[in-house]
Amino acid sequence: MRQIQFLVVHISDSPKDRGDTAADIHQWHQERGWSGIGYNAVITGTAELQQGRPDYWQGAHVRDFDENGEGDNSDSLGICIITDTAPDEDQLRILEGWLHAKLAQYPAAEVVGHRDLDSRKTCPNMDIPAWWASRKKYRID
């Protein structure tokens, strides 16, 4: 089993009302020469959670972000939210559920946005660590 250290939130940078799906992203990524969708999950513009790559299959959603090659797709899972702005509340509720489920499987993982791992990115157009801290603050387990 892979040692997951990061749960990485992305956005598609496409309009959420266009109807894009995980299957669309799969096709786009294949057109780039990849073996398939780079994300482990997708939240559509209508806040539907869709499966991407299975967790055991290394993703293709972040570049190496540390000196020794450990901070990359080999130790992260990625979720993509279909939007070209910040995610809406319905999408964020689905994201919160996915994150809680993944943290139950990978309790040592850190929740981050793509921009937290790559200073050239603004994705997902919000401060995911701050948002996650605010959501965790009010959670009763």
Side-chain angles (χ1 to χ4, degrees):
M1 180 187 280
R2 295 192 306 132
Q3 297 297 317
I4 302 301
Q5 295 181 24
F6 299 95
L7 300 175
V8 186
V9 180
H10 301 263
I11 61 165
S12 62
D13 202 24
S14 58
K16 71 174 150 187
D17 61 353
R18 190 167 69 184
D20 296 337
T21 65
D24 294 318
I25 295 173
H26 178 71
Q27 180 182 343
W28 300 337
H29 287 183
Q30 284 183 318
E31 289 168 357
R32 287 183 157 184
W34 301 354
S35 57
I37 189 169
Y39 308 109
N40 301 93
V42 172
I43 300 172
T44 67
T46 57
E48 176 189 347
L49 181 64
Q50 296 181 339
Q51 180 67 45
R53 288 186 184 205
D55 290 3
Y56 62 81
W57 185 11
Q58 180 174 311
H61 58 95
V62 293
R63 291 188 177 139
D64 181 17
F65 51 85
D66 64 13
E67 297 290 328
N68 60 10
E70 292 178 6
D72 57 18
N73 292 302
S74 68
D75 61 2
S76 65
L77 297 178
I79 185 166
C80 182
I81 303 169
I82 305 290
T83 188
D84 56 355
T85 62
D88 66 32
E89 277 304 311
D90 290 337
Q91 291 172 315
L92 290 173
R93 277 193 289 280
I94 299 301
L95 174 62
E96 183 177 3
W98 185 85
L99 291 170
H100 281 297
K102 293 305 172 188
L103 286 168
Q105 294 177 273
Y106 311 104
E110 180 181 351
V111 176
V112 297
H114 191 188
R115 73 184 196 169
D116 300 308
L117 305 178
D118 187 338
S119 62
R120 298 168 295 173
K121 303 290 182 180
T122 61
C123 165
N125 295 339
M126 64 181 287
D127 185 342
I128 289 294
W131 168 82
W132 184 241
S134 74
R135 293 287 173 122
K136 284 187 350 183
K137 180 178 179 180
Y138 300 107
R139 181 158 172 94
I140 298 172
D141 291 318

